[in-house]
Amino acid sequence: MAVPKRKQSNARTGSRRSHDFKKPVQTVACPNCNKMIQPHVVCPNCGQYMRREVIAKDDAK
Ligand SMILES: [Zn+2]
């Protein structure tokens, strides 16, 4: 059975794992309702994008 000649260095293991961990989702405050939302996404709370552009009208209640 083929076997590695040398032990893999800690630096090599670490550089492989440098992409392993999930980053937290970036959020920005909605300019309309001030809720934290993802950037470049229609606000799920008030349905606005780029200020006054209402895309998804939400008639809650
Ligand atoms: Zn909003």
Side-chain angles (χ1 to χ4, degrees):
M1 189 181 111
V3 140
K5 199 169 194 175
R6 287 172 226 289
K7 176 185 171 175
Q8 197 172 60
S9 68
N10 291 330
R12 200 186 165 104
T13 304
S15 59
R16 183 182 65 238
R17 291 180 183 167
S18 65
H19 305 286
D20 282 6
F21 297 99
K22 231 179 161 180
K23 278 188 204 149
V25 176
Q26 192 186 9
T27 52
V28 292
C30 174
N32 185 51
C33 64
N34 239 19
K35 215 183 159 198
M36 294 314 280
I37 55 166
Q38 281 187 58
H40 314 113
V41 162
V42 176
C43 176
N45 193 47
C46 61
Q48 284 200 19
Y49 186 68
M50 300 282 281
R51 276 291 193 198
R52 47 197 94 73
E53 191 184 335
V54 179
I55 292 168
K57 215 172 194 176
D58 192 11
D59 284 74
K61 209 178 176 188

